[in-house]
Amino acid sequence: MFNDFHYALELIYEFIRGTRLVKKSVLDVCETRLTNFMLVWNDAQDYIEMGQMLEDPEAELEGIFRVFDSFLLLTDLGRGCWDTYWRVGNSMQKFVAKNVLSGERTLVNLMNEYFILANNISVFFADYFFKDWLSFAYYSGDTVYRLIVVQHEANFNFK
């Protein structure tokens, strides 16, 4: 269950990293803490399973203790992820007000980024074929960045 949850959060991380709404270092605050929690949690689960396979109640009890011990990481994880969530939310409000509500901005960005956006389409096909969903999430975010987030100016001076 937690592995699927962790994978879903990694997909969201890759998407937001692709949009470049905040610096990677800000995103890594949450991602690193989440990964550390999941590693400790999975190690504790493995310890319980090992105790069950060996029919050793003390090893199983140690695994249960390690599960509860992993909960100590949740405070640090919650603080880090809340800070990241807050920064992404602020960035989204600014970009939505400037870019999303202006269709002209998206069209100007499309004209300036058309080559890279065309390359993203081929990446989407490859990611779908190889079932590389983390890369798919990143390039989906990159497409959002190139269409909505980036700030190109309309310059039609052909001199």
Side-chain angles (χ1 to χ4, degrees):
M1 176 184 126
F2 275 114
N3 287 336
D4 294 336
F5 179 67
H6 185 232
Y7 188 69
L9 291 176
E10 287 292 328
L11 288 172
I12 294 168
Y13 167 80
E14 288 296 328
F15 177 80
I16 294 172
R17 188 171 70 94
T19 61
R20 297 173 190 89
L21 286 171
V22 292
K23 291 186 276 185
K24 186 179 179 302
S25 60
V26 172
L27 285 176
D28 286 346
V29 169
C30 181
E31 196 271 337
T32 302
R33 293 173 184 177
L34 178 67
T35 299
N36 288 339
F37 172 75
M38 294 309 298
L39 288 172
V40 170
W41 176 269
N42 286 335
D43 286 344
Q45 292 294 326
D46 291 343
Y47 213 93
I48 291 172
E49 290 175 12
M50 181 193 68
Q52 290 171 344
M53 285 177 25
L54 297 175
E55 297 178 2
D56 184 2
E58 288 182 15
E60 196 173 340
L61 187 62
E62 175 66 22
I64 292 170
F65 172 76
R66 289 181 181 203
V67 165
F68 285 108
D69 194 40
S70 69
F71 293 148
L72 293 174
L73 299 173
L74 289 177
T75 302
D76 192 40
L77 171 69
R79 286 182 184 152
C81 288
W82 177 256
D83 182 51
T84 301
Y85 165 78
W86 181 79
R87 290 176 188 233
V88 169
N90 277 349
S91 294
M92 284 181 63
Q93 283 181 339
K94 291 176 187 174
F95 288 118
V96 165
K98 287 183 181 177
N99 292 355
V100 176
L101 299 178
S102 170
E104 178 184 310
R105 170 66 58 197
T106 303
L107 185 60
V108 168
N109 289 345
L110 178 63
M111 289 188 295
N112 283 287
E113 301 281 343
Y114 67 93
F115 181 75
I116 297 171
L117 288 168
N119 287 336
N120 283 0
I121 292 171
S122 63
V123 169
F124 289 146
F125 283 121
D127 289 341
Y128 178 76
F129 180 77
F130 291 109
K131 307 241 184 299
D132 186 2
W133 303 121
L134 289 175
S135 175
F136 189 87
Y138 174 80
Y139 281 100
S140 296
D142 184 64
T143 301
V144 169
Y145 168 76
R146 298 199 181 280
L147 284 175
I148 298 173
V149 177
V150 72
Q151 299 281 325
H152 288 293
E153 294 298 322
N155 185 1
F156 298 109
N157 187 2
F158 297 111
K159 291 182 185 181

